[in-house]
Structures are given as structure tokens and as C-alpha cells.
Amino acid sequence: MKHQPPPPTRRWGVVAAVVALVLLACLQIQYQHLKVDLGKAGFASATQENNAIPSRNRIRWGAARIRKAATGADSLPRGIVQRHSDMSLRPLWEDDAASTHKNKNGDHSALLAMAVGISQIKNVDTMARKFLKDNYAVMLFHYDGNVDGWRHLEWSDKAIHILAHNQTKWWFAKRFLHPDVMAIYDFIFLWDEDLGVENFNPRRYLDIMVSEGLEITQPALDPDLSTDIHHRITIRNKMTKVHRRIYDNRPSMNCSDESKGPPCTGWVEGMAPVFSHAAWKCVWHLIQNDLIHGWGLDMKLGYCAQGDRTEKVGVIDSEYVVHQGIPSLGGPSLSSKTPRRSLDLRTHIRRQSSAELEKFKERWNRAVREDEGWRDPFDS
């Protein structure tokens, strides 16, 4: 008996089922692609937007969304996004005298940032004048709440003032010196308020940093006038312009030409560090959000030196300062006659600083263990 072909209605039903399956598969693939491209932006709204865009532009639109999503500017046209800022004060009307924090020779741009209290106004006044003379920017972090006490200084309106009670310079730096805001500055001075700068010239200092190829530095300390010297590497060498290491035969130090790291070489102290723009982009990430005293940072700064820390980190001798050793937060120096309450505050602060140091060490060690792709560039 001759086989009869299936009726036309049945054939069309099979074809429709196949087409439906193909269409469903295509929709599933498109859905997965949209999930990858748009992340968690919301599939429903993204689908509506996509349907409103001509098909020839959809691929380009998707790539643009992915490119801008990392900056949070995915809903803006690319040309309107300004990635960087600065600390320049903007006049409310046209002012030809408005400056851009370049020094008079146009060589470098720099920012001096300090945590200050009104009791050190005379010393800070001297420091600020040195930097403003070369048209560098000055930013004051007021930890004692007294901003009005600085208004009578002729340069006060040229500085940036930020107030937060009883916070350290590291707390301020993490919140107000983001690398994108610091983009126009070639160098960042993150200093304490108790430095004597009679023998210091910021422009000459930066010229030395550039000529020596240094990324992280500090001025040397005058050993005759400084009252608070903790590390031998910071002491001024009168015979050199810059030194990058010390030699010490004591068993506790054992610093020699073979030494490869802190505190023998590749190291500066936290009281008066100066960072290049490239180094600061790294250091800012190294500063912990909650460990506000910054203990332990100095031992790791060399990882941000943009190369060999034994060459890129150094102490500049020819432009030196005096460390007066005046504790700020918690009261005056312990060497002076102070109320019992001030002594107690200093004790509590040192205890917290020591505890934070241990936390920082633990975090570093844990991060090294957990990041399998990271290799210590200084691990010999």
C-alpha cells in the first residue's frame, strides 16, 4: 500500500514548533549576552532601552555602557565626564589674578597638606609662607576645630581649610586627597605641623627629587636642633646631597651594602614624607580607612616607589628640617610640665597606635597569603 504524506496542517505544525524552538534559543542567547553587558543594571529597563535603539547602533551602545560602567558615568555622554579635579579656588567672577598652583618657573606643581592645631599657628605660618611663595597649594586639616583663629593670616584665604575634630593627617588624607583630586599635582607633601623649615626651600627640594629620580622622600633632620629623632637614617649627612641607606653594625640593625629594605634602605619616616604623583596613587590605597594613626605604613611605602625602592626612596640632606617633637593630638610634649589628663591621653593614643600597628601587619600578611597572583618584588 502506498505511503500517504502527512496532511498540510500537520506539516505546518511541525514547522511552527521548530521555528518556536529556534526563536526561544535565540532569545535565551540574547538574554545571556545582555546580562553580561549590563551586569546588574536591571534586565527589564535595559531591554526597553535596547528596543528603542536602532539595531545598527546596539553593539556600539553596549560597548559604551561596559566602558563607562566602571566610572559610574554610564548614563552620561563620554565627553562630559571630568575624571580629575584639583584644589584650586575658583573665583565667583572673572579674576585675571587667579593662579593655578604652578611655581613661578613653571617647573612643578605641589600641594602641602598638614593636620594643624591653633597652638602651632606660628610654626605653620612659617611653613605655609615658604610654599605659597613658590605658588604651591596649601591645605590645612584642623583637628582642634579652630578655623577662625587662622583668618587674620594674610594667606589664609588662599589655603584650603578642612575641619574634623581629633583626626590624624592619615584620616584626612584618605578622605580628601584622593588621587583623582590630586591629579594636577606633581608632588604631595604630607607633613606634621612641628617641623622647622628655616633651612628648607621647597622648590630646590623638588628639583633634587627630579634630578635624582626619587619618587618617595623626606628632608633630613638636623641632629643638633631636633628634639625627637627615632631612626638614624633620617639624620642629616652634611657631606652628601641625598642618601638612600645607612650603615650600622649593631646586631639589632646590621645595615650594610647587602641590606635590601627598611629601615636600612628604601625607607622614610611618616612625619614628613613627600610623594610623587605616581607614588601617591599607590600610597593612597595603602592607607587604611580605619587605622588612623598610620603606624606600619612607613615599612611598606617602598612598594609604591615605582621601581627599586633602594634607588627610588631617599632622604634629602641639602634641604633639611628640624623636628621639634611636639605631639599634637592628646596634648603637649611629655618633656614639658603637663596636666595629668594630657599624660593619660598620650598613653591611650600610644596604646591604640601600637594596636593598630599589629592590625596592619596582620592585614598585610593575610592579603599576601590570599592573593595567589601577587609576587613580592623585594622577596630575595
Side-chain angles (χ1 to χ4, degrees), residues 26-293:
C26 291
L27 288 173
Q28 181 67 19
I29 293 172
Q30 183 181 20
Y31 170 76
Q32 294 298 330
H33 283 188
L34 281 172
K35 278 183 36 176
V36 172
D37 290 345
L38 303 178
K40 299 179 180 179
F43 177 71
S45 61
T47 303
Q48 293 173 1
E49 290 178 299
N50 197 38
N51 289 338
I53 299 174
S55 58
R56 64 180 179 275
N57 292 333
R58 288 179 186 172
I59 295 177
R60 184 173 59 187
W61 172 83
R65 286 291 293 266
I66 295 173
R67 181 179 63 251
K68 292 188 290 185
T71 67
D74 54 303
S75 62
L76 301 176
R78 180 171 55 176
I80 201 64
V81 176
Q82 300 295 308
R83 293 186 58 195
H84 300 138
S85 186
D86 55 52
M87 291 295 170
S88 300
L89 298 176
R90 306 298 179 184
L92 296 177
W93 57 89
E94 287 296 326
D95 184 0
D96 293 336
S99 61
T100 58
H101 298 309
K102 281 277 187 180
N103 75 9
K104 294 179 180 178
N105 295 323
D107 296 330
H108 317 297
S109 58
L111 170 76
L112 168 66
M114 294 184 289
V116 301
I118 196 65
S119 62
Q120 292 298 309
I121 187 171
K122 183 177 180 180
N123 197 62
V124 173
D125 179 35
T126 301
M127 298 169 70
R129 290 176 185 274
K130 285 258 184 177
F131 282 80
L132 291 169
K133 182 180 179 181
D134 284 318
N135 209 25
Y136 297 142
V138 172
M139 190 175 196
L140 301 184
F141 306 132
H142 297 273
Y143 60 76
D144 63 352
N146 190 338
V147 178
D148 290 338
W150 300 77
R151 298 299 185 193
H152 68 282
L153 299 174
E154 64 181 37
W155 53 265
S156 180
D157 289 341
K158 299 177 182 178
I160 306 297
H161 299 267
I162 297 177
L163 184 155
H165 287 274
N166 294 331
Q167 301 304 310
T168 70
K169 68 180 182 182
W170 302 108
W171 184 94
F172 284 106
K174 187 66 173 180
R175 287 151 181 82
F176 299 103
L177 300 184
H178 189 280
D180 285 352
V181 180
M182 297 293 102
I184 73 163
Y185 302 109
D186 301 317
F187 299 95
I188 310 296
F189 292 74
L190 189 57
W191 280 13
D192 289 352
E193 61 182 336
D194 62 341
L195 301 177
V197 293
E198 180 180 352
N199 297 292
F200 180 84
N201 181 291
R203 182 175 59 81
R204 291 201 299 262
Y205 185 93
L206 294 182
D207 286 342
I208 294 171
M209 276 193 71
V210 173
S211 65
E212 292 285 333
L214 294 166
E215 299 285 340
I216 301 176
T217 65
Q218 74 159 82
L221 303 183
D222 185 333
D224 300 322
L225 299 178
S226 297
T227 59
D228 203 12
I229 296 179
H230 300 287
H231 304 277
R232 290 189 61 185
I233 196 172
T234 64
I235 298 175
R236 182 192 179 207
N237 185 339
K238 298 180 180 180
M239 304 300 294
T240 62
K241 181 169 61 175
V242 174
H243 69 268
R244 294 174 171 84
R245 62 171 61 245
I246 59 167
Y247 299 92
D248 193 330
N249 295 326
R250 291 177 299 172
S252 59
M253 292 288 289
N254 193 27
C255 296
S256 66
D257 282 327
E258 303 302 319
S259 301
K260 301 299 183 182
C264 301
T265 185
W267 185 85
V268 298
E269 196 170 0
M271 85 185 77
V274 183
F275 306 101
S276 71
H277 170 71
W280 180 250
K281 290 176 68 176
C282 170
V283 171
W284 184 87
H285 291 284
L286 184 64
I287 300 172
Q288 302 296 290
N289 182 64
D290 58 328
L291 305 183
I292 52 93
H293 288 287

